[in-house]
Amino acid sequence: MGERITIDPITRLEGHGRIEIILDAEGNVADAFWQVLELRGFERFCLGRPAEEMTRIAPNICGICPSAHHMAATKALDRLYGVEPPATALLIRELEYNASLVDDHFLHFFFLAAPDFICGPDADPAERNLMGVIQRLGSAFGRRVIEIRRKNRDIIRLVFGKAPHPEGGLPGGVPRGITEEERRWISATAEETVQFAGRALAIFREKVLDDPTNRALLEDEAYRVRTCSMALADNEQRVAFYDGEVRVVGPRGDEVCCFAPDSYGEWIAERVEPWSFIRTTYLRPRGWQGLVEHDDTPLYKVGPLARLNVANAMATPLAQAAYEEFRDCFGGMPVHQTLATHWARLICALQAAERNREIAADPLLTGHHLRNLDFNLIGHGVGCVEAPRGILFHDYQTDEKGILTAINMIIATQNNAGPISLAIKKAARRFIRGGEVREGLLNRVEMAFRAFDPCLSCATHVIPGSMPLNVQIRDHHGNIIMQLKR
């Protein structure tokens, strides 16, 4: 009988999960599972509450991407109340949302991903962390990362009251406007962020593309997962973060479908597996086929790499130049190398910063028409944005008094559940052979999920809703004297 290897807890992600690797008699990987162990029940305990409370409740679903949940909730309320925000309000929302993307993308790259590349995948775990990155890039650069993130969080705080859990999203608009004095520091922050994003991309070239070990990992077949890609795109099929249509391309790059977010239920289906709390999504028209990768797979990836695969271009000039370099490096699109997601993430951060520079120069930013109060309760609204980890849907239904009667959320990491499981299994089979299991090899397996930047704390739901219970009662020596299981 083969051996079982458990990586628990997995590290440098948001939430709690583990990896189970099962070896055959020769010490090679027979199978591997990525398991999500926690459960949160926002879709249930928000029922019966007034819909307008969702912009205060939803940001607390997750401490990592609260702006995405807040904005999806706000947009769902727009639809639910049948109201269109004025142009100035849309600009202010987009400004805040771009700032949140910048904040999150730099957080992931420098805090969670960079230790594997800058310190090295085989470095001592005691050094393979943020402090190790700062030691190698210099304390001045470390302070600069923190400073850029703080300044972008100040934009979040300015518009929606606080960071990291913004509030104040209002159906039909925004709670406050922007003054000319505020425009000046917003413009300065956007300019600084554009410059910093360029520096971050230069570090990626130096530490990953020009480093033989990291370049080999980037191109390794173990980190190649061929699935469809899904993301928002604007009306010119460019990368979009705040709004757009949902576009899906197949593993070869051909368009599979393009639909308005309101109709997501016709295209996306969900299912649960007995070994995880996460709800896995797939393309409904193709039907569930299991965790498979081929040209007609129903699985799709979301997030930075999917955005670049789905769009024909970036929406800003410097990001477009970076996109072309990315595309040329891999010989065309779509790209299925999982670790390339880190590169795509920095390109997306650059677009968000450039777009905020454009918004800061827009005369409408300091307009005074901030909210449309011409409400018409429809009773159903879907809000959709590109969360840092990929596309996010909030779907609310209410009664005639605006009390929530049904809620569904499709979180970015749910969309990535299938591709993550495939990525982990491929990496495990590539790096664990003949019974050799050492820390550096296990870290290479973790790198497969880390590229997706999974956020498990908000992605865990079950259908129809059951939770295993395991209570251990210990005596004062720590010995288990009773164990209750359900």
Side-chain angles (χ1 to χ4, degrees):
M1 184 172 177
E3 183 183 354
R4 180 185 292 259
I5 301 168
T6 302
I7 306 176
D8 184 12
I10 50 179
T11 59
R12 282 186 270 141
L13 81 162
E14 298 85 23
H16 304 288
R18 72 181 176 200
I19 295 173
E20 293 274 1
I21 300 172
I22 301 168
L23 303 185
D24 60 20
E26 286 72 43
N28 299 319
V29 174
D31 213 337
F33 296 89
W34 173 64
Q35 297 176 299
V36 178
L37 306 174
E38 59 183 311
L39 174 66
R40 311 189 85 183
F42 278 82
E43 290 160 317
R44 295 293 298 174
F45 67 67
C46 290
L47 294 177
R49 306 193 71 87
E52 59 267 28
E53 288 188 0
M54 289 305 291
T55 58
R56 295 192 295 277
I57 296 173
N60 294 291
I61 291 175
C62 175
I64 301 300
C65 42
S67 286
H69 284 291
H70 177 257
M71 196 61 76
T74 303
K75 291 181 67 177
L77 293 185
D78 290 341
R79 305 286 291 177
L80 193 145
Y81 286 103
V83 64
E84 181 67 25
T88 292
L90 289 174
L91 272 182
I92 293 173
R93 285 187 185 181
E94 190 182 354
L95 170 77
E96 186 269 351
Y97 198 62
N98 287 331
S100 73
L101 275 169
V102 165
D103 173 36
D104 189 280
H105 280 351
F106 288 151
L107 167 69
H108 180 268
F109 181 74
F110 287 106
F111 288 55
L112 305 181
D116 293 323
F117 300 105
I118 293 176
C119 304
D122 292 309
D124 185 336
E127 298 179 5
R128 197 178 59 225
N129 50 41
L130 175 62
M131 298 311 296
V133 172
I134 292 175
Q135 190 175 36
R136 286 161 176 80
L137 295 181
S139 58
F141 186 83
R143 286 194 294 272
R144 189 62 174 151
V145 174
I146 294 170
E147 184 180 32
I148 288 294
R149 290 190 61 227
R150 179 187 60 77
K151 289 186 175 183
N152 279 277
R153 289 164 79 88
D154 283 344
I155 293 176
I156 300 171
R157 195 172 291 111
L158 172 72
V159 176
F160 287 126
K162 59 180 183 176
H165 296 289
E167 294 180 346
L170 300 172
V174 290
R176 74 182 305 279
I178 302 295
T179 67
E180 287 297 335
E181 182 179 358
E182 290 163 347
R183 180 203 295 274
R184 286 191 285 275
W185 73 257
I186 289 170
S187 179
T189 295
E191 183 60 40
E192 284 185 64
T193 307
V194 169
Q195 300 304 318
F196 183 82
R199 174 65 181 133
L201 281 163
I203 288 173
F204 187 89
R205 292 187 195 96
E206 176 187 348
K207 301 297 183 182
V208 179
L209 300 182
D210 296 341
D211 180 273
T213 300
N214 288 333
R215 182 64 177 259
L217 288 173
L218 180 70
E219 297 174 348
D220 198 305
E221 186 66 21
Y223 293 118
R224 178 177 168 83
V225 178
R226 292 184 80 254
T227 66
C228 301
S229 300
M230 177 186 289
L232 283 177
D234 67 14
N235 55 12
E236 297 180 33
Q237 294 193 349
R238 302 176 302 181
V239 168
F241 303 132
Y242 175 79
D243 210 357
E245 290 207 314
V246 182
R247 188 166 186 245
V248 181
V249 299
R252 291 175 298 185
D254 52 309
E255 183 174 286
V256 175
C257 56
C258 186
F259 57 90
D262 289 349
S263 63
Y264 79 93
E266 299 175 22
W267 301 95
I268 299 174
E270 305 171 75
R271 63 176 280 117
V272 291
E273 300 291 347
W275 38 267
S276 178
F277 278 130
I278 201 162
R279 206 164 53 190
T280 303
T281 60
Y282 60 97
L283 295 175
R284 184 183 295 278
R286 293 191 169 187
W288 177 249
Q289 302 172 25
L291 299 175
V292 293
E293 49 174 340
H294 54 66
D295 287 346
D296 297 319
T297 179
L299 302 179
Y300 58 88
K301 62 174 75 76
V302 302
L305 182 60
R307 289 176 202 142
L308 270 60
N309 283 341
V310 161
N312 293 332
M314 304 299 290
T316 57
L318 293 177
Q320 175 62 23
Y323 166 87
E324 291 171 4
E325 179 188 5
F326 178 93
R327 179 193 60 199
D328 294 346
C329 176
F330 291 101
M333 305 293 285
V335 172
H336 296 296
Q337 296 302 130
T338 300
L339 298 186
T341 307
H342 299 302
W343 191 358
R345 183 171 288 113
L346 295 177
I347 296 172
C348 289
L350 176 58
Q351 173 170 309
E354 280 188 285
R355 179 61 188 140
N356 267 4
R357 187 167 64 181
E358 294 173 352
I359 292 173
D362 193 317
L364 275 176
L365 181 65
T366 51
H368 300 293
H369 187 197
L370 301 176
R371 195 178 184 197
N372 181 358
L373 294 174
D374 187 17
F375 290 174
N376 176 30
L377 180 62
I378 296 172
H380 183 206
V382 175
C384 176
V385 294
E386 273 289 321
R389 289 144 196 85
I391 200 161
L392 166 69
F393 297 88
H394 278 216
D395 183 350
Y396 306 153
Q397 295 183 45
T398 71
D399 62 15
E400 71 282 0
K401 296 180 180 179
I403 302 299
L404 288 162
T405 56
I407 301 171
N408 190 37
M409 300 176 187
I410 296 184
I411 314 298
T413 300
Q414 284 180 251
N415 298 311
N416 279 329
I420 291 173
S421 298
L422 286 170
I424 286 173
K425 188 178 296 187
K426 294 185 77 169
R429 285 178 168 166
R430 165 71 173 83
F431 296 113
I432 299 176
R433 293 171 178 269
E436 183 191 6
V437 183
R438 56 182 171 82
E439 198 282 331
L441 297 178
L442 294 180
N443 183 56
R444 283 168 169 78
V445 177
E446 289 193 271
M447 287 171 67
F449 79 74
R450 214 169 270 141
F452 291 92
D453 190 16
C455 185
L456 308 185
S457 57
C458 61
T460 56
H461 314 274
V462 290
I463 303 172
S466 61
M467 183 175 182
L469 180 69
N470 187 354
V471 177
Q472 294 179 339
I473 302 173
R474 299 174 183 269
D475 63 17
H476 64 286
H477 296 297
N479 302 314
I480 297 175
I481 57 174
M482 184 178 295
Q483 187 161 265
L484 305 174
K485 289 186 176 182
R486 184 177 65 195

